[in-house]
Amino acid sequence: MKFNVNQQDLQQALNYCQGVIEKRSTLPILSNVLLNASSSNLTITATDLDLIFIHQISNVEVIEEGNTTTTSSIMYDIIRKFSSGKKINLSLTDVSKLQVESEKSVFNLNCISASEFPLTDENFNQNEFSIKSKQLLKLLNKCKFSVSNDETRHYLSGIFFHQTQTEDKNFLTAAATDSHRMSISKIRLDQQVDFEPIILPKKTIFQLCSLLESYDGDVKISNIKSKIKFELNNSILISKLIDGKFPNYIQVIPKNNQKKLEIDLKLFLDSVDRVASVSLDKKDGVKFNLSKNVLNLSVNNTNSGDGKESLTVKFEHDLEISFNSRYLIDVASQLDGDKIEIFFNDTGSPALIKDPGDFDSIFVVMPMKG
């Protein structure tokens, strides 16, 4: 195997691989990336057995076709330290040695035969549909912060994706909750698609986000019983799904929150962030003391002190309620409009947050006790 490749192309591909490969894998082969040079393409594959990432670099000068695997982290570390955009020459000098050469540097990296790399070929059925990359990224970003970290309830440690219908319109809807807060967001589909409901794991979500952030185009999605496949222009991500039943989230959405607070989004975000500074771990509740058109925010921490701030808002009632400041900041950071709308019922009931700039997303946040 012998080929020449552009430094930036290889660095970007290996960068994506870092997010897939487990740092402490018991199987040495899983710390490696599979490199396959054929015709004028270099295909790079990384897997942790639950997630498979395949990336193709085209217009590669392949002198001799072949394949091998080498340690992903070491190769990435070397490639990113080479001069940007330069040509890198790679050649398999021996069964177990890959020579990497650029300008005046030469490295010989240890290899494991490609035949030991786990099989990654997947037979997906044809019920695929396409979605714009920016729309998919929106769904992921609006929901990912609500995903649970609780290992015992594995069915909450991902985003629930399913098809929904409103009147005669079809949507791809995403929901996530850690039982303290919930995010729901949807995007319109051109037509009804053949798509079984799935729960997408957290690691896959973050890997997909990093791919989508630098990609503008269509994403092809297809799923079989326990796996899902996302195809971008030159990358493929195949992931196992979380086995479990996502709770009926619709019944958690507050139905009778009539007290509406309307406030400038940036003002609100900055203000909550400021008063929460006095709380070291952001676990202290930020207390809302609401009266007609006035919101008083306060945080009190026994170890570090207290902070208060007063804001002019649109509100017609009297209400006292406390929230985890981190939850409010997470939601507010994802809103698109200039304003934030929060609907309350009473002190002990969850609040419903809406974004006037995006009618297709809603958020629910539980209040703190005391």
Side-chain angles (χ1 to χ4, degrees):
M1 179 177 84
K2 193 172 183 181
F3 62 91
N4 304 326
V5 63
N6 176 287
Q7 184 271 344
Q8 278 165 307
D9 292 344
L10 188 53
Q11 181 182 331
Q12 185 192 37
L14 290 168
N15 182 26
Y16 290 139
C17 294
Q18 299 313 299
V20 174
I21 287 171
E22 283 298 329
K23 303 289 174 276
R24 294 174 295 278
S25 177
T26 47
L27 292 168
I29 194 74
L30 292 183
S31 300
N32 285 15
V33 281
L34 173 65
L35 304 170
N36 189 340
S38 68
S39 49
S40 60
N41 297 320
L42 171 65
T43 305
I44 300 177
T45 307
T47 184
D48 66 355
L49 299 181
D50 289 336
L51 190 58
I52 303 165
F53 171 67
I54 305 162
H55 185 83
Q56 191 173 72
I57 303 172
S58 47
N59 302 323
V60 174
E61 188 188 344
V62 177
I63 298 144
E64 195 180 314
E65 296 192 345
N67 55 26
T68 191
T69 83
T70 191
T71 313
S72 176
S73 56
I74 293 173
M75 188 171 180
Y76 174 62
D77 210 24
I78 292 167
I79 301 300
R80 73 186 180 86
K81 290 171 183 170
F82 282 155
S83 305
S84 179
K86 288 282 190 241
K87 194 160 85 163
I88 300 176
N89 311 310
L90 294 98
S91 54
L92 205 55
T93 51
D94 179 277
V95 179
S96 61
K97 281 282 183 279
L98 176 67
Q99 189 176 81
V100 182
E101 183 192 0
S102 185
E103 296 180 291
K104 293 190 171 64
S105 313
V106 180
F107 293 87
N108 288 292
L109 305 182
N110 289 348
C111 299
I112 303 177
S113 161
S115 62
E116 291 192 34
F117 200 80
L119 279 177
T120 54
D121 207 21
E122 288 294 333
N123 182 21
F124 279 78
N125 48 8
Q126 294 310 301
N127 60 353
E128 58 179 38
F129 64 99
S130 286
I131 177 174
K132 296 251 177 301
S133 58
K134 293 297 172 255
Q135 288 193 306
L136 181 55
L137 185 59
K138 172 199 134 160
L139 286 184
L140 296 167
N141 281 338
K142 300 252 176 184
C143 293
K144 70 183 181 192
F145 60 83
S146 293
V147 170
S148 173
N149 291 317
D150 182 357
E151 296 296 318
T152 58
R153 294 188 295 174
H154 65 282
Y155 53 88
L156 294 184
S157 58
I159 296 179
F160 179 53
F161 278 96
H162 54 304
Q163 189 174 197
T164 56
Q165 281 179 311
T166 312
E167 288 143 12
D168 54 350
K169 300 183 187 73
N170 295 287
F171 295 92
L172 180 63
T173 299
T177 182
D178 61 5
S179 73
H180 300 292
R181 53 182 167 171
M182 180 167 71
S183 303
I184 305 162
S185 189
K186 62 182 183 183
I187 50 169
R188 177 87 184 268
L189 293 169
D190 299 333
Q191 64 207 55
Q192 195 168 352
V193 294
D194 192 357
F195 182 72
E196 295 293 317
I198 59 147
I199 305 174
L200 195 65
K202 179 179 276 186
K203 183 172 174 179
T204 309
I205 293 163
F206 285 92
Q207 187 63 20
L208 195 51
C209 283
S210 72
L211 285 171
L212 293 170
E213 269 154 19
S214 56
Y215 172 67
D216 200 356
D218 283 345
V219 180
K220 280 201 293 199
I221 302 175
S222 49
N223 69 327
I224 47 176
K225 200 137 195 72
S226 59
K227 291 189 177 151
I228 190 162
K229 180 180 184 180
F230 298 93
E231 289 178 78
L232 287 67
N233 215 1
N234 44 14
S235 300
I236 294 173
L237 196 62
I238 297 169
S239 171
K240 281 189 181 167
L241 299 168
I242 292 175
D243 185 24
K245 188 163 169 45
F246 197 79
N248 179 358
Y249 67 91
I250 300 288
Q251 65 190 25
V252 186
I253 303 170
K255 304 288 186 286
N256 48 357
N257 285 25
Q258 303 298 331
K259 299 168 184 167
K260 177 183 174 182
L261 166 66
E262 190 183 308
I263 180 169
D264 178 87
L265 176 63
K266 187 168 180 353
L267 200 67
F268 176 76
L269 189 53
D270 292 348
S271 199
V272 171
D273 199 17
R274 269 195 300 271
V275 294
S277 307
V278 80
S279 159
L280 295 168
D281 56 4
K282 300 280 184 279
K283 290 275 196 313
D284 295 301
V286 54
K287 190 173 181 184
F288 284 39
N289 194 324
L290 281 153
S291 51
K292 186 172 168 65
N293 297 339
V294 177
L295 166 58
N296 289 311
L297 294 171
S298 59
V299 173
N300 196 332
N301 179 290
T302 42
N303 299 320
S304 52
D306 61 68
K308 294 186 187 67
E309 201 155 314
S310 185
L311 299 170
T312 305
V313 298
K314 272 195 189 167
F315 195 69
E316 297 295 328
H317 313 267
D318 290 334
L319 181 71
E320 273 192 17
I321 190 166
S322 295
F323 294 101
N324 177 318
S325 61
R326 180 81 258 148
Y327 295 171
L328 296 176
I329 290 167
D330 284 344
V331 171
S333 303
Q334 284 302 330
L335 302 192
D336 301 329
D338 300 328
K339 295 210 171 1
I340 179 169
E341 294 176 347
I342 309 179
F343 296 82
F344 301 99
N345 181 14
D346 57 37
T347 302
S349 305
L352 179 66
I353 302 177
K354 292 188 180 179
D355 179 359
D358 172 19
F359 295 119
D360 289 328
S361 302
I362 58 168
F363 307 90
V364 179
V365 180
M366 297 294 288
M368 287 177 79
K369 305 277 187 284

